[in-house]
Amino acid sequence: MRGQVAPLADDAPELGLYQVLAENGLAEPTRLPHLGDAELRRMYRGMLTIRVMDERLLALQRQGRIGFYGEAKGQEAAIIGAAAALGPQDWLVPALREAGAGIYRGLPMRTYVAQIFGNGNDVSKGRQLPCHPGTRAARYLTMSSCIATQLPHAMGMAWAAKIAGDDVVVLGCLGDGASSEEDFHVAANFAGVYGVPVVFFCQNNQWAISTPVTLQTAAPTMAIKALAYGFGGVRCDGNDVLAVYACVKDAVDKARRGGGPTLVEALTYRVSAHSSSDDPTRYRDENVTAAWRQKDPLQRFRTWMTAQGLLDAATDDKLRADLDAEVRDAVAKEEHVPPPPLETLVEDVFAEVPAHLREQLGEITPLPRQKLGGVHQ
Ligand SMILES: Cc1ncc(C[n+]2csc(CCOP(=O)(O)OP(=O)(O)O)c2C)c(N)n1
Ligand SMILES: [Mg+2]
């Protein structure tokens, strides 16, 4: 039996909705991407990691043990489908919700949790909001808090790779909200003109904090915006990990061949709050959210994996328990690591620390670790 996937719109992929898995988890066999069993299992694990991590770390915020957390619930397919389409030599430049892609590419869980605590093990030494990990080793750039500023960076990294003749493609991520920023226009225009190997990946989760996508643009899709910059756009079902993988892989392969940029839009929904500081019941109809929760991307992939004999309930339960234990262990180890040394406040900025700053440093009394209040973002 085949899945009832959306029909192909080859003549206008920027207006269509590419699906491989229908909502009931049945596949359209002619569209299945070439992926081995091990890679499919790894993708499932990557999606479940995000789900488990979000549950645990949001609970930690509610207990006052971390100051802030941003979930990616319901967007696991978009995040992992895109990450899986990259090679290890490629760079991923995230927007807000791709930390799970960093982990998929090799960012250790403890390193991520250390960043969330902002402790002495955190490579950014507590100077970023939680959920801003970065790893050079896994080629995952630190997220920029300023919406869309990462896009000229992603484009520039890809342009540099082209000039140097490096076999590198850059995935520049954005949300629907970021598409209204001038940085999106600058990056897309430049990428089109210079034909750089960048793939713009827009997770259209239909909300930018309290702004619905209908107020973000009058365009029928995000993907169609690519046409104005002289390159192709494609829209896929962001809750279908195989569709996201297929579309991003096509775009990455094209960029690698010298075919220039593509804008891939993954249509999904932000089923949770914007962040731990947000209450969406104040501005949106949660009946719509409830309907989108039924389109759970993890459940869709689980149904298909199970039908393929690649997963069973016992393996799934054990995987979930193992991932939960991994997150709890990382929290247990990182929660009591002391903060970065105070001197780094000035020593990392000045080669020779001015006398007045040395004096001020001497006057600072470190505060005991207190219950953290909310952080607004
Ligand atoms: C330049 C800038 N303007 C506003 C903000 C406040 N802000 C933080 S997240 C956000 C919404 C982003 O929406 P979207 O791009 O759709 O990403 P999503 O949160 O849905 O993943 C806004 C407006 C910001 N961080 N930077
Ligand atoms: Mg959004």
Side-chain angles (χ1 to χ4, degrees):
M1 196 167 55
R2 291 187 169 190
Q4 292 295 308
V5 293
L8 277 182
D10 276 342
D11 49 339
E14 67 281 356
L15 292 173
L17 187 74
Y18 191 82
Q19 289 182 321
V20 175
L21 299 178
E23 283 188 21
N24 61 5
L26 294 172
E28 168 50 51
T30 59
R31 296 190 200 168
L32 278 175
H34 297 288
L35 284 162
D37 292 354
E39 199 162 3
L40 289 163
R41 286 198 180 95
R42 203 176 144 231
M43 287 165 73
Y44 182 77
R45 184 192 166 93
M47 288 172 65
L48 191 60
T49 304
I50 298 174
R51 183 67 58 93
V52 169
M53 190 170 80
D54 274 1
E55 284 167 9
R56 187 71 215 118
L57 296 178
L58 185 69
L60 225 58
Q61 195 280 337
R62 294 298 186 235
Q63 293 163 4
R65 290 157 69 188
I66 57 174
F68 172 87
Y69 192 71
E71 290 175 89
K73 192 171 188 168
Q75 297 181 219
E76 297 91 344
I79 295 162
I80 297 300
L86 295 174
Q89 76 276 37
D90 299 330
W91 273 90
L92 195 154
V93 179
L96 284 83
R97 306 195 188 272
E98 288 82 12
I103 291 171
Y104 187 82
R105 287 178 67 78
L107 172 78
M109 183 65 74
R110 272 191 70 175
T111 309
Y112 183 38
V113 171
Q115 197 284 319
I116 288 174
F117 281 111
N119 66 22
N121 290 340
D122 170 18
V123 286
S124 56
K125 300 181 186 171
R127 290 172 201 160
Q128 290 269 20
L129 266 172
C131 306
H132 285 54
T135 155
R136 195 189 296 269
R139 298 200 158 200
Y140 178 92
L141 203 72
T142 304
M143 169 196 149
S144 161
S145 288
C146 307
I147 297 302
T149 53
Q150 74 278 7
L151 298 173
H153 302 162
M155 187 281 301
M157 288 163 72
W159 191 31
K162 180 176 173 163
I163 293 167
D166 294 341
D167 173 28
V168 168
V169 174
V170 182
L171 190 83
C173 301
L174 65 146
D176 43 300
S179 70
S180 299
E181 291 282 352
E182 58 271 40
D183 278 334
F184 168 68
H185 167 76
V186 168
N189 191 57
F190 209 104
V193 170
Y194 287 92
V196 306
V198 64
V199 174
F200 296 108
F201 179 62
C202 178
Q203 287 199 64
N204 178 1
N205 65 6
Q206 305 186 47
W207 290 93
I209 311 186
S210 54
T211 304
V213 69
T214 46
L215 293 181
Q216 206 65 251
T217 182
T221 68
M222 288 290 161
I224 199 172
K225 290 171 186 267
L227 304 192
Y229 302 106
F231 53 88
V234 54
R235 192 166 74 132
C236 61
D237 183 339
N239 286 17
D240 173 352
V241 67
L242 298 181
V244 177
Y245 172 85
C247 292
V248 177
K249 182 78 167 64
D250 265 7
V252 167
D253 288 351
K254 182 179 175 194
R256 215 184 288 293
R257 288 194 307 269
T262 306
L263 169 60
V264 180
E265 172 186 356
L267 181 69
T268 180
Y269 200 83
R270 199 197 73 209
V271 296
S272 284
H274 171 73
S275 73
S276 52
S277 311
D278 174 46
D279 174 8
T281 62
R282 296 176 61 166
Y283 56 79
R284 71 179 184 185
D285 179 357
E286 291 295 3
N287 289 322
V288 177
T289 311
W292 275 91
R293 278 182 192 267
Q294 296 303 312
K295 301 175 195 267
D296 182 1
L298 195 61
Q299 184 54 45
R300 195 184 306 186
F301 195 37
R302 182 185 290 128
T303 303
W304 183 77
M305 289 285 283
T306 306
Q308 302 311 299
L310 294 171
L311 189 69
D312 57 55
T315 313
D316 194 26
D317 289 349
K318 173 152 183 350
L319 186 57
R320 180 178 264 277
D322 288 351
L323 290 169
D324 190 59
E326 189 185 343
V327 180
R328 283 174 189 273
D329 181 58
V331 170
K333 292 198 168 104
E334 295 300 333
E335 187 165 18
H336 302 292
V337 172
L342 269 182
E343 302 76 54
T344 61
L345 271 176
V346 290
E347 285 175 356
D348 284 3
V349 182
F350 294 92
E352 282 174 37
V353 177
H356 71 283
L357 288 181
R358 279 258 169 253
E359 198 183 321
Q360 287 176 24
L361 202 58
E363 290 167 4
I364 300 176
T365 318
L367 293 169
R369 197 176 175 85
Q370 295 165 327
K371 287 256 175 196
L372 294 155
V375 176
H376 296 284
Q377 160 81 358

